């Protein structure tokens, strides 16, 4: 099985001078976060989103500290999301942090990292640097047992209304493609397509290709204070980044692949048009006055998504280079603080909130994860 995206890390000296500077930024940011935050926290979406970035940093650099941090997190959570054992009690139709919300996407994003860690344990990913040994795992199958149980249930279920908010498209879409690669079972791709059609029906803006955060925010039922469509930056950041991850793992001959390609390209172009002069995106993308000022998590997810598209031939480098350059400048000159903190991250929420303060001290786990994703892809961009 070819593991697209899990390529061996090159020794630091093999990278260009510019790339080494970015790798140094990655280490500064990740070291700051891991030094100030314990790995032993729950497997809910915010922590799990950080780990998607941490694992990408590990794949790029082979740094064993990064791997150890994600392993400790996974072991602390016993390789599970929500823990309810009885499938007849599993829930997803409302927001829930309880253990019965097994099918709720915020409890499923952890499976992205568990599956990656399974492949590491199986020796499918080996860092190139000889002095960075991957620890041998006992019983690698335990790492994916719960993922197979939960996602297999979803893939074979009759329901298709699992993803009713934009965030879920990052939380779960990449899990479905990873499960396909893990099992070879086409049901995961077909359920991904089926579920996304439901999502599109309730919150995709056909005109722009952008997503409203959920059904409550669909225009014209909901408008900004200035009467505009209210697209939440982090919400659309989740979607663009999720689509990039899906396309990375989806086989080239999958029957619905072009549907995902077209959606991804249209969304990326719509996002690019709404970038502010300072390189960032405001929390309400079409109405900067709704919640003025920069926001890092949405900006970083957008940057990652566009970088991935340029690096993999889906987006024009000539067209997107100015957008990427301004975004990267914002991320490294404004969002990145001298001590390695990533600031200007809007706190957990679901919309642009007028009057909410977001400043250099506003940090969050998912914001760091988004920054790491963008930075890793920027290294590849420099060496493309």
């Amino acid at each position: 099985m070819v593991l697209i995206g899990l390529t061996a890390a090159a020794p630091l000296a093999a990278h260009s001078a510019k790339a080494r500077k970015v790798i140094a930024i990655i280490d500064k940011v990740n070291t700051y976060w891991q030094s100030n935050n314990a790995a032993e926290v729950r497997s809910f979406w915010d922590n799990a989103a950080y780990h998607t970035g941490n694992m990408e940093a590990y794949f790029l650099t082979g740094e064993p500290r990064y791997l150890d941090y994600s392993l400790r997190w996974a072991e602390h959570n016993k390789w599970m999301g929500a823990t309810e054992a009885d499938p007849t009690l599993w829930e997803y139709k409302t927001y829930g942090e309880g253990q019965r919300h097994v099918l709720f996407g915020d409890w499923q994003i952890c499976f992205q990292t568990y599956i990656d860690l399974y492949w590491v344990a199986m020796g499918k990913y080996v860092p190139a640097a000889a002095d960075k040994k991957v620890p041998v795992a006992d019983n690698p199958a335990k790492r994916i047992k719960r993922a197979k149980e939960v996602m297999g249930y979803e893939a074979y279920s009759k329901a298709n209304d699992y993803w009713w908010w934009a965030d879920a498209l990052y939380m779960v879409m990449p899990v479905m493609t990873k499960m396909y690669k893990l099992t070879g079972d086409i049901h995961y791709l077909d359920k991904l397509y089926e579920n996304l059609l439901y999502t599109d029906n309730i919150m995709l803006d056909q005109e722009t290709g952008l997503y409203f955060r959920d059904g409550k925010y669909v225009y014209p039922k909901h408008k900004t204070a200035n009467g505009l469509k209210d697209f939440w930056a982090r919400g659309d950041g989740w979607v663009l980044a999720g689509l990039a991850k899906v396309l990375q793992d989806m086989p080239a001959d999958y029957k619905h692949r072009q549907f995902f390609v077209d959606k991804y390209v249209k969304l990326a172009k719509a996002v690019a048009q709404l970038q502010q002069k300072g390189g960032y995106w405001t929390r309400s993308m079409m109405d900067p006055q709704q919640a003025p000022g920069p926001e890092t998590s949405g900006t970083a997810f957008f940057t990652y998504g566009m970088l991935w598209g340029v690096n993999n031939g889906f987006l024009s480098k000539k067209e997107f280079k100015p957008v990427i350059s301004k975004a990267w400048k914002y991320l490294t000159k404004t969002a990145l603080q001298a001590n390695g903190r990533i600031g200007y991250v809007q706190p957990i929420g679901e919309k642009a909130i007028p009057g909410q303060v977001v400043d250099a001290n506003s940090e969050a786990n998912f914001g760091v994860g988004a920054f790491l994703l963008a930075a890793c892809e920027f290294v590849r961009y420099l060496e493309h």
Side-chain angles (χ1 to χ4, degrees):
M1 181 179 291
V2 177
L3 298 182
I4 303 170
L6 301 189
T7 53
L12 187 60
H15 293 285
S16 67
K18 288 183 177 179
R20 289 198 297 272
K21 289 181 179 179
V22 179
I23 291 171
I25 291 173
I26 290 169
D27 190 62
K28 182 176 185 177
V29 168
N30 218 12
T31 298
Y32 175 84
W33 181 261
Q34 293 185 5
S35 298
N36 289 282
N37 297 274
E40 291 77 14
V41 293
R42 65 178 182 165
S43 56
F44 205 48
W45 74 269
D46 56 327
N47 296 312
Y50 162 77
H51 283 278
T52 63
N54 182 55
M55 288 302 296
E56 197 65 32
Y58 173 67
F59 294 145
L60 178 73
T61 68
E63 174 52 58
R65 290 182 290 112
Y66 305 165
L67 177 63
D68 177 68
Y69 192 85
S70 282
L71 281 169
R72 287 190 286 125
W73 172 71
E75 289 285 359
H76 173 74
N77 289 290
K78 298 181 172 57
W79 304 92
M80 301 180 78
T83 58
E84 173 59 52
D86 184 353
T88 65
L89 300 177
W90 290 355
E91 301 176 17
Y92 68 90
K93 291 189 177 183
T94 59
Y95 177 87
E97 299 185 25
Q99 298 308 312
R100 288 188 175 184
H101 272 70
V102 176
L103 297 172
F104 181 50
D106 287 11
W107 279 117
Q108 295 176 329
I109 179 177
C110 59
F111 297 141
Q112 293 189 41
T113 295
Y114 299 168
I115 293 168
D116 287 349
L117 289 170
Y118 167 79
W119 289 122
V120 170
M122 294 297 291
K124 297 294 185 179
Y125 170 83
V126 181
D131 61 338
K132 297 174 180 177
K133 304 296 185 182
V134 176
V136 176
D138 59 336
N139 188 21
K142 75 176 183 180
R143 301 184 175 193
I144 54 171
K145 181 180 179 181
R146 183 62 166 177
K148 292 174 75 173
E149 178 186 18
V150 172
M151 302 315 299
Y153 178 98
E154 184 167 329
Y156 278 85
S157 69
K158 294 181 179 179
N160 63 5
D161 58 348
Y162 291 100
W163 306 337
W164 45 266
W165 73 114
D167 315 39
L169 302 187
Y170 183 84
M171 310 307 171
V172 197
M173 287 200 306
V175 177
M176 302 301 266
T177 47
K178 286 177 182 291
M179 288 301 301
Y180 168 76
K181 289 171 61 179
L182 184 69
T183 65
D185 187 345
I186 199 70
H187 275 87
Y188 288 103
L189 299 183
D190 290 344
K191 179 59 74 169
L192 162 63
Y193 175 69
E194 181 184 342
N195 286 357
L196 186 55
L197 289 180
Y198 170 82
T199 306
D200 286 0
N201 187 55
I202 62 173
M203 60 194 191
L204 172 65
D205 182 59
Q206 296 288 346
E207 179 185 14
T208 62
L210 294 164
Y211 280 80
F212 297 104
R213 194 273 179 179
D214 60 53
K216 299 191 303 293
Y217 298 99
V218 173
Y219 182 90
K221 179 174 64 176
H222 169 85
K223 303 176 183 178
T224 68
N226 292 315
L228 303 176
K229 293 179 179 180
D230 195 4
F231 296 111
W232 181 47
R234 184 157 71 237
D236 276 285
W238 291 126
V239 180
L240 187 65
L243 287 169
K245 284 177 165 284
V246 161
L247 289 172
Q248 177 170 284
D249 287 346
M250 183 176 282
D253 61 352
Y254 179 57
K255 60 185 177 182
H256 297 303
R257 181 178 170 85
Q258 194 60 44
F259 167 83
F260 290 89
V261 171
D262 293 344
K263 176 182 295 294
Y264 164 79
V265 172
K266 184 175 182 178
L267 178 58
K269 290 185 175 183
V271 165
Q273 291 174 1
L274 296 173
Q275 185 182 38
Q276 301 298 306
K277 290 182 179 180
Y280 57 84
W281 283 260
T282 51
R283 283 162 276 175
S284 184
M285 296 167 66
M286 280 190 170
D287 190 349
Q289 298 309 310
Q290 182 78 356
E295 199 285 310
T296 297
S297 62
T299 297
F301 280 125
F302 288 150
T303 307
Y304 162 72
M306 289 184 286
L307 280 165
W308 185 88
V310 170
N311 290 345
N312 290 276
F314 290 92
L315 302 176
S316 162
K317 184 173 185 178
K318 180 179 179 181
E319 180 181 350
F320 282 85
K321 182 177 180 179
V323 181
I324 288 169
S325 296
K326 288 191 294 183
W328 182 247
K329 183 178 180 180
Y330 161 77
L331 290 172
T332 53
K333 301 300 183 183
T334 301
L336 175 61
Q337 307 304 302
N339 61 0
R341 181 197 302 122
I342 298 299
Y344 296 95
V345 178
Q346 183 188 5
I348 291 174
E350 62 177 41
K351 62 182 178 181
I353 303 173
Q356 184 182 42
V357 175
V358 174
D359 59 22
N361 294 313
S362 303
E363 63 176 338
N365 40 17
F366 53 87
V368 178
F371 182 95
L372 293 173
L373 286 170
C376 290
E377 207 59 40
F378 194 72
V379 170
R380 301 181 182 107
Y381 174 78
L382 291 172
E383 300 185 329
H384 192 260

